[in-house]
């Protein structure tokens, strides 16, 4: 694989000039995916969401490849139809190109409203890569909680208040759920670890069947951080083991990265405005609970990956 | 060369689908439409079609998948009914606005609640403004013929709109009738090869963005374009109906009048109930009563001029709606027919019946009672009224 300097010179299917917010990591993730694909022809489907609305404002488009947006809940179903058409036309010798199929959806369009469509599409075995850019809330509609929102995060529908510490549930473990579909490849990645992310994309596109990658993609508006801090926040999420990097390749769980020294979750929380309410008197208990749950999930993951306990 | 065989409505639709031999079919089972896709999947499993069949996990995904397949340059179809159609709601509008020539049999069934599997038109009437062409069939023959024509109409370069082909649940979908069918090659020749009118998603030389965001600066022109396509669909529907007549001996247009030219009173009704009504018209004609019938075949685009010309001379008209608008004013067909007659100087009096909801049987006596009412309204002996419920136990309310 080329180095970062070389990669930065490359053109990809995702062009600059879109209207995503400054400091948003979703387009960074998409660019890394696109660079991993290189020159191979792709067709992209996108669920309704920030990425879709900010990259396809008619009459402009940021997509240099075939691109389809249908609705919020159906990116996977829509792309499964595109992929089926591809197979049908190939079988009839009406098409001879090799095309890869990639769907992008935010956590709302993937964990929640689009989950049935995604589950159905991967169960049917369409050869496509579904990528969730997980920013942990419905950012496009104004920061409402999703099932990917972290415990105790302050969102506009799980607001912190006198009787609330923010979202009261742990996030849905979607990557594990996708792995449980027994698809050839499922992985979790972060743009801070871009070589790992790109290798995962290439692996995902090489398998014969559906694949899924969950990419953490911080949102400066929803997480309330300085627009320069997005990438360091995903690095910190990996170092704290809130967002571990791993892959499940044909049923085999493998940890992609083990932090030398696991960092306390408190440091990650402190750098985001959505957890500010925890850093007042009485918030220690919530932070402790968060840490305990991170430790528990990390221990479970280490076991699944056949790693020595922490 | 045509063959005469006995098929149910669903079997006739499945056969037409097989003869159309699309590239992609994605579907989800729902009573009473299940049989169409079930039969079709067996054609695919036995190599009788070239189609890739996708057994999706919901109707929402069924329409989403065929939308994607169509945007990728494939001829793609699905079929559904009732709750399935309702579940497709948002994608119906999207398919029309993307100008994708999808074709979908809709086996009309009552919408929940209460849950009910039998026929009425509440499902397709609920999506009458989704931007799809809607064609209603009276019997299995029309179901078969309409489905084949729908492909040509949808795919016409001037149209490029999706088409629903509606038949009455159970009454037609499950009833065995004789019909004439064309040979496979003949159907293939009639529908022709599928030619996408714009670059497909799989056209690597012309990357295209399908489904962009269009706000106040472009949205309205796109919607206006849909309206224009619907307007242009009218001559195409007519032309395809005539051409189909030359191929099959069965010519089609927007409306099917029966004993209407010399009539003073008439019933307007869609689909299978037209058959029952025709029997009553014959009876009344023998009694010297100048009764007629108008069966609209195409409901969207709405054939306003044709309806005006067909009904303008009557004294009184009863519009029978197999769906209610729950607005205290009348059913959807009634309001459209009434509006269509507004320009007629000496307009007929017009009354409305809601009938057959949830498969409630409508018999000859029910239709006779409608003509009785009509005769009184025409004679000025009874007031014009906007809404009456046929065959309902009013005392049970």
């Amino acid at each position: 694989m080329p180095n970062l300097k070389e990669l930065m010179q490359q053109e990809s299917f995702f062009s600059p000039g879109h209207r995503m917010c400054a400091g948003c990591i979703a387009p960074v993730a998409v660019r890394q995916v696109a660079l991993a694909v290189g020159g191979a022809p792709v067709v992209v489907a996108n669920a309704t969401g920030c990425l879709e609305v900010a990259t396809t404002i008619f009459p402009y488009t940021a997509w240099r490849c075939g691109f389809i947006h249908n609705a919020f809940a159906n990116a996977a179903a829509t792309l499964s139809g595109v992929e089926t058409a591809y197979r049908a036309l190939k079988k009839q010798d009406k098409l001879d190109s090799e095309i890869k199929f990639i769907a992008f959806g935010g956590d709302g369009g993937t964990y929640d409203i689009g989950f049935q469509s995604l589950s159905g599409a991967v169960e049917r075995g369409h050869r496509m890569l579904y990528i969730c850019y997980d920013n942990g809330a419905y950012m496009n509609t104004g920061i409402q909680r999703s099932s990917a929102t972290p415990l105790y995060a302050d969102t506009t529908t799980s607001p912190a208040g006198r009787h609330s510490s923010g979202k009261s549930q742990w996030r849905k473990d979607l990557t594990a759920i996708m792995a449980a579909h027994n698809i050839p490849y499922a992985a979790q990645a972060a743009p801070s670890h871009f070589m790992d992310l790109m290798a995962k994309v290439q692996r995902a596109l090489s398998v014969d069947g559906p694949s899924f990658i969950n990419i953490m993609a911080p949102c400066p508006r929803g997480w309330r951080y300085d627009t320069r801090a997005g990438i360091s926040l995903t690095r910190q999420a990996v170092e704290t083991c809130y967002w571990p990097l791993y892959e499940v390749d044909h049923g085999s769980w493998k940890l992609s990265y083990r932090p030398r020294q696991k960092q306390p979750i408190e440091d990650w929380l402190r750098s985001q405005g959505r957890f500010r309410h925890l850093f007042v008197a009485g918030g220690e208990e919530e932070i402790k609970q968060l840490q305990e749950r991170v430790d528990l999930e990390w221990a479970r993951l280490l076991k699944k990956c056949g790693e020595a306990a922490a | 060369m045509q063959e005469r065989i006995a098929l149910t409505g669903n079997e006739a639709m499945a056969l037409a689908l097989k003869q159309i031999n699309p590239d992609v079919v994605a579907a989800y089972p729902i009573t009473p439409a299940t049989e169409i896709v079930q039969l079709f999947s067996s054609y695919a499993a036995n190599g009788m079609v070239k189609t890739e069949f996708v057994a999706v996990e919901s109707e929402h995904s069924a329409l989403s998948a065929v939308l994607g397949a169509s945007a990728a340059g494939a001829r793609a179809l699905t079929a559904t009914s009732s709750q399935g159609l309702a579940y497709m709601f948002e994608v119906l509008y999207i398919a029309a606005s993307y100008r994708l020539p999808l074709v979908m049999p809709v086996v009309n069934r009552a919408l929940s609640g209460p849950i009910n599997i039998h026929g009425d038109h509440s499902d397709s009437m609920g999506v009458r403004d989704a931007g799809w062409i809607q064609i209603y069939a009276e019997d299995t023959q029309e179901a078969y013929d309409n489905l084949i024509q729908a492909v040509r109409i949808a795919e016409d370069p001037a149209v490029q709109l999706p088409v629903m082909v509606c038949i009455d649940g159970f009454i037609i979908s499950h009833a065995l009738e004789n019909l004439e069918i064309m040979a496979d090659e003949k159907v293939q020749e009639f529908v022709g090869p599928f030619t996408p009118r714009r670059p497909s998603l799989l056209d690597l030389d012309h990357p295209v963005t399908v489904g962009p965001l269009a706000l106040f600066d472009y949205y309205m022109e796109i919607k206006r374009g849909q309206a224009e396509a619907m307007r242009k669909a009218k001559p195409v529907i007519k032309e395809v109906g005539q051409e189909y007549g030359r191929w099959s001996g069965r010519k089609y247009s927007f409306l099917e009048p029966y004993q209407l030219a010399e009539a003073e009173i008439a019933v307007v009704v869609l689909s299978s109930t037209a058959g029952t009504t025709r029997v009553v018209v014959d009876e009344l004609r023998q009694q010297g009563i100048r009764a007629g019938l108008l069966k609209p075949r195409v409901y969207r685009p709405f054939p306003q001029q044709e309806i005006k010309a067909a009904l303008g001379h009557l004294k009184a008209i009863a519009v029978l709606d197999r769906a209610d608008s729950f607005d205290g004013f009348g059913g959807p067909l009634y309001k459209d027919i009434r509006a269509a007659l507004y320009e007629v100087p000496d307009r007929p009096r017009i009354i409305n019946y809601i009938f057959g909801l949830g498969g409630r049987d409508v018999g000859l006596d029910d239709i006779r009672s409608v003509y009785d009412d009509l005769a009184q309204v025409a004679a000025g002996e009874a007031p014009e009224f906007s809404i009456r419920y046929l065959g309902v136990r009013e005392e049970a309310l």
Side-chain angles (χ1 to χ4, degrees), chain A residues 58 61 67 69 74 91-92, chain B residues 23 52 64 98 209-210 213:
Chain A
F58 191 79
T61 181
F67 172 97
H69 159 251
N74 57 6
K91 204 169 74 179
Q92 297 169 40
Chain B
D23 301 306
E52 291 291 323
S64 301
Y98 291 7
T209 288
V210 177
L213 175 79

Side-chain angles (χ1 to χ4, degrees), chain B residues 251-290:
Chain B
K251 206 171 78 171
Y252 286 87
S253 190
F254 301 102
L255 310 171
E256 194 186 312
Y258 184 69
Q259 300 278 27
L260 200 58
E262 307 299 318
E264 288 181 344
I265 55 173
V267 161
V268 179
V269 68
L270 299 167
S271 306
S272 66
T273 313
T276 314
T277 309
R278 214 175 277 117
V279 174
V280 177
V281 169
D282 287 346
E283 281 177 12
L284 294 171
R285 284 282 168 165
Q286 287 194 348
Q287 297 164 26
I289 298 166
R290 289 163 72 181

Side-chain angles (χ1 to χ4, degrees), chain A residues 41 43 53 56-59 61 64-71 74 77-78 80-82 84-89 91-92 95 97 99 101 116-117 120 124 126, chain B residues 23-24 50-52 54-58 60-61 64-65 67-69 71-74 87 90-91 94 98 201-202 204 207-214 217-218:
Chain A
V43 172
V53 298
T56 66
I57 304 175
F58 191 79
T61 181
R64 294 194 180 105
C65 55
F67 172 97
I68 184 165
H69 159 251
N70 186 347
N74 57 6
T78 304
S80 80
V82 177
T84 305
Y86 168 73
R87 278 187 286 114
L89 297 176
K91 204 169 74 179
Q92 297 169 40
L95 201 71
S97 39
I99 301 176
F101 298 92
Q116 171 184 312
S117 156
R124 294 192 298 273
H126 298 279
Chain B
D23 301 306
V24 175
K50 65 177 184 208
T51 314
E52 291 291 323
V54 193
V56 287
E57 86 298 332
S58 73
H60 195 281
S61 287
S64 301
L67 185 152
Y87 197 25
E90 62 167 345
V91 192
I94 295 168
Y98 291 7
L201 286 171
L202 305 179
L204 300 177
V208 61
T209 288
V210 177
L213 175 79
D217 47 357
Y218 285 99

Side-chain angles (χ1 to χ4, degrees), chain B residues 154-174:
Chain B
E155 294 174 7
D156 189 282
V159 180
Q160 298 284 297
L161 285 174
V163 183
M164 277 177 213
V165 180
C166 305
I167 63 168
D168 281 343
F170 288 105
I171 298 165
I172 301 305
S173 68
H174 286 62

